[in-house]
Amino acid sequence: MANNIVVVGTQWGDEGKGKITDYLGQDADVVVRFQGGNNAGHTIVFDNKKYALHLIPSGIFHDKKINIMGNGMVINPIAFKEELEALIKQGVNASNLFVSDRAHITLPYHIELDKLQEELKKDNNVGTTFKGIGPTYTDKYSRIGIRVCDFINDDIFLEKLKFVIAWHNNIFKAYNKELFDATKLFKEMKEYQEYLKPYVTDTTKLLDDLKNNNKKILFEGAQGALLDIEQGTYPFVTSSTPTAAGVATGSGFGPNNIEKVLGIVKAYSTRVGSGMFVSEIDGDIAHYIREKGHEYGVTTGRARRIGWFDAVVINHTRRVSGLTDLSIMLLDVLSGLDEIKICTKYLLDGNEIDYFPALINDLERCQPVYEVLPGWQEDITQCTDFNDLPINAKNYINRIQELTGVQVSIISVGPDRKQTITRNNMW
Ligand code: GDP
Ligand code: IMO
Ligand code: MG
């Protein structure tokens, strides 16, 4: 029995968090996003339809359930309007959507700053989504950001906008980029201000009331632990806290209230953007997995880099996110392979290590140590029970469980909501 579950990415994002949030959302009362912005791309498939969400929580398809966009998020008001309007057109009910008055606003100059920083970093660029995420969080921590509560208040918004634009124009000027005009941007934002306003509230108070009324609360992480600003492959990370720790700061839900943390794990690994990836592979098997798993970004369309399952990564995430359960995703994609590798340790300068090094130069020299398991040929996309799976698929899951010490409670065998095997009831 649980009253709340945190869903988090354990690798480099795109593990299938959207699918599982929607799946567990069937029995939840509330779904909360607590970090990130529209750099996220969460895919949900049901009734033969596919949806891609970026800012809006993945509980939105469940009529009458409350969806909250927490204070730890960064919200581009133009993207918010576009995404929500499209959802409403498709019949989604947005009357139970709430946006934190403390979340930060992403504006067009953040996107230009994102592009400029990537350009200046040259070969060391992060490979960001160009959604202005890093610069929005930078403004937040520099204490010059514009929050939702500021944005919807005309006088305060204009005053803050004038200050912050003058600040950033220094940079744009230095690099011969186009300058921003505060008054012009202020006017352009009017329609987005009005669109956002009805959804804004103090979500910390709302969440506390819901908790006190024993409502079932699901927290939906974006990105993944290895993209976490603290625990990821810094500096090749995003600028927020995608680990479970982000729930407390990003939604105002006290950390002592968290009951379960479900780590969403791809049955293999993928990464989009730059940065170290010890178990990365290319060649025929990578191609097979990329095409079968449709491993192309939901937000940017970029081809995702492919690798084997890495137990060093998942053990790192287990520690930093406090995982209580795992959900193994896209297991069906591995059907048809003769053998499957699992990275169990790294070899660093001739020594075997079982931890994830902080120093990028160390990580670059790490070689994967693999264990090889026999694959399976059967199509598993219609399996509804763990016992229906081929023996080698069961062995693969059990081996992941042994190597991580975390119980595998959910197994996903296809993108559809129904293609989900539950071993332990999460709620
Ligand atoms: P998220 O960012 O963590 O929500 O994940 P994405 O939506 O970016 O990427 C996951 C992709 O895998 C999407 O295209 C999903 O529809 C798809 N998917 C999720 N679970 C499964 C599964 O078990 N099998 C297959 N074949 N596809 C899946
Ligand atoms: P979901 O929620 C995969 C990656 C970018 C880049 C780095 C920094 O769908 O799992 P940013 O734009 O955040 O400053 O980019 O993080 N990245 C993601 N990769 N899935 C995501 O979200 C991602 N969000 C950001 O590719 O490497
Ligand atoms: Mg994604």
Side-chain angles (χ1 to χ4, degrees):
M1 275 285 288
N3 274 317
N4 62 70
I5 303 169
V6 178
V7 167
V8 282
T10 56
Q11 295 152 319
W12 286 276
D14 303 328
E15 299 91 347
K17 298 174 294 291
K19 169 179 167 164
I20 293 300
T21 304
D22 166 73
Y23 175 74
L24 292 173
Q26 296 175 105
D27 298 314
D29 299 302
V30 189
V31 179
V32 187
R33 274 276 307 266
F34 54 92
Q35 45 71 233
N38 62 333
N39 49 348
H42 294 183
T43 317
I44 292 164
V45 182
F46 59 91
D47 296 343
N48 296 319
K49 284 205 200 91
K50 184 171 167 174
Y51 302 88
L53 297 173
H54 301 281
L55 279 170
I56 309 292
S58 298
I60 199 74
F61 299 105
H62 301 297
D63 212 17
K64 300 201 177 70
K65 303 207 171 173
I66 293 180
N67 284 271
I68 296 178
M69 295 168 62
N71 57 274
M73 286 190 76
V74 290
I75 300 169
N76 177 330
I78 304 173
F80 176 82
K81 181 167 184 271
E82 271 172 17
E83 187 171 334
L84 194 56
E85 269 181 353
L87 287 168
I88 291 170
K89 250 190 218 149
Q90 292 173 80
V92 157
N93 171 15
S95 61
N96 288 319
L97 176 68
F98 298 93
V99 177
S100 168
D101 48 5
R102 290 177 167 88
H104 277 250
I105 291 283
T106 297
L107 289 167
Y109 51 84
H110 292 122
I111 294 169
E112 294 310 313
L113 285 167
D114 197 352
K115 289 183 195 159
L116 176 61
Q117 287 175 11
E118 286 286 272
E119 190 184 312
L120 295 175
K121 286 178 186 171
K122 298 197 173 99
D123 290 347
N124 287 323
N125 69 66
V126 180
T128 74
T129 58
F130 291 134
K131 301 291 178 191
I133 304 299
T136 311
Y137 281 111
T138 305
D139 278 5
K140 170 175 173 172
Y141 286 99
S142 298
R143 293 157 292 182
I144 56 169
I146 294 174
R147 295 177 301 163
V148 167
C149 56
D150 306 320
F151 181 67
I152 59 171
N153 182 313
D154 274 346
D155 296 343
I156 293 175
F157 177 40
L158 183 59
E159 187 191 328
K160 286 188 180 275
L161 197 59
K162 279 183 178 162
F163 178 83
V164 75
I165 282 185
W167 180 291
H168 290 314
N169 272 346
N170 291 320
I171 295 284
F172 292 128
K173 200 169 161 193
Y175 289 98
N176 291 320
K177 303 284 175 188
E178 213 173 306
L179 304 187
F180 278 86
D181 178 329
T183 315
K184 184 165 167 269
L185 187 59
F186 175 75
K187 282 186 194 143
E188 284 167 8
M189 284 301 118
K190 193 79 206 150
E191 96 179 76
Y192 304 105
Q193 232 182 335
E194 294 306 319
Y195 191 81
L196 184 62
K197 219 180 235 175
Y199 298 100
V200 177
T201 192
D202 179 345
T203 52
T204 61
K205 167 96 174 56
L206 172 65
L207 202 51
D208 190 52
D209 290 344
L210 291 163
K211 176 182 75 78
N212 293 337
N213 284 314
N214 291 320
K215 297 294 180 196
K216 291 202 177 299
I217 305 171
L218 189 60
F219 293 92
E220 177 186 20
Q223 289 80 51
L226 274 295
L227 292 172
D228 186 281
I229 188 83
E230 313 281 344
Q231 312 294 355
T233 49
Y234 190 91
F236 301 102
V237 292
T238 191
S239 297
S240 68
T241 305
T243 54
V247 166
T249 55
S251 71
F253 194 72
N256 54 327
N257 294 316
I258 296 173
E259 293 176 16
K260 287 187 178 178
V261 182
L262 175 66
I264 312 300
V265 187
K266 248 179 203 172
Y268 44 95
S269 305
T270 62
R271 174 163 205 173
V272 58
S274 329
M276 292 69 225
F277 185 175
V278 177
S279 67
E280 183 169 16
I281 51 169
D282 53 22
D284 291 349
I285 294 180
H287 179 76
Y288 178 84
I289 292 175
R290 184 177 298 113
E291 296 311 312
K292 200 162 172 212
H294 306 291
E295 294 295 359
Y296 294 89
V298 183
T299 302
T300 58
R302 290 178 291 179
R304 295 176 183 151
R305 299 157 64 192
I306 309 287
W308 294 115
F309 176 88
D310 184 341
V312 181
V313 163
I314 305 302
N315 273 308
H316 178 68
T317 306
R318 170 178 56 72
R319 290 187 284 272
V320 301
S321 238
L323 304 179
T324 60
D325 299 77
L326 299 181
S327 180
I328 305 293
M329 312 300 292
L330 295 109
L331 188 66
D332 54 299
V333 174
L334 297 182
S335 292
L337 295 176
D338 293 333
E339 46 185 41
I340 297 172
K341 291 185 182 170
I342 293 184
C343 174
T344 54
K345 287 193 169 69
Y346 295 165
L347 201 60
L348 175 59
D349 302 336
N351 301 313
E352 275 194 352
I353 58 166
D354 63 358
Y355 62 90
F356 197 81
L359 193 66
I360 287 302
N361 307 51
D362 284 351
L363 211 44
E364 268 173 346
R365 294 199 313 286
C366 282
Q367 297 295 319
V369 176
Y370 286 124
E371 185 174 299
V372 182
L373 274 72
W376 61 91
Q377 302 306 314
E378 296 89 333
D379 173 6
I380 60 169
T381 55
Q382 304 308 316
C383 293
T384 52
D385 191 282
F386 185 67
N387 293 316
D388 296 345
L389 292 172
I391 181 76
N392 288 347
K394 282 196 258 191
N395 288 342
Y396 184 63
I397 296 289
N398 288 335
R399 188 65 187 131
I400 288 176
Q401 200 162 249
E402 273 169 22
L403 286 166
T404 58
V406 186
Q407 58 185 351
V408 174
S409 293
I410 298 176
I411 297 158
S412 176
V413 293
D416 194 275
R417 194 190 271 170
K418 291 200 186 109
Q419 293 172 296
T420 315
I421 299 173
T422 299
R423 285 174 93 194
N424 304 309
N425 182 18
M426 288 298 299
W427 286 115

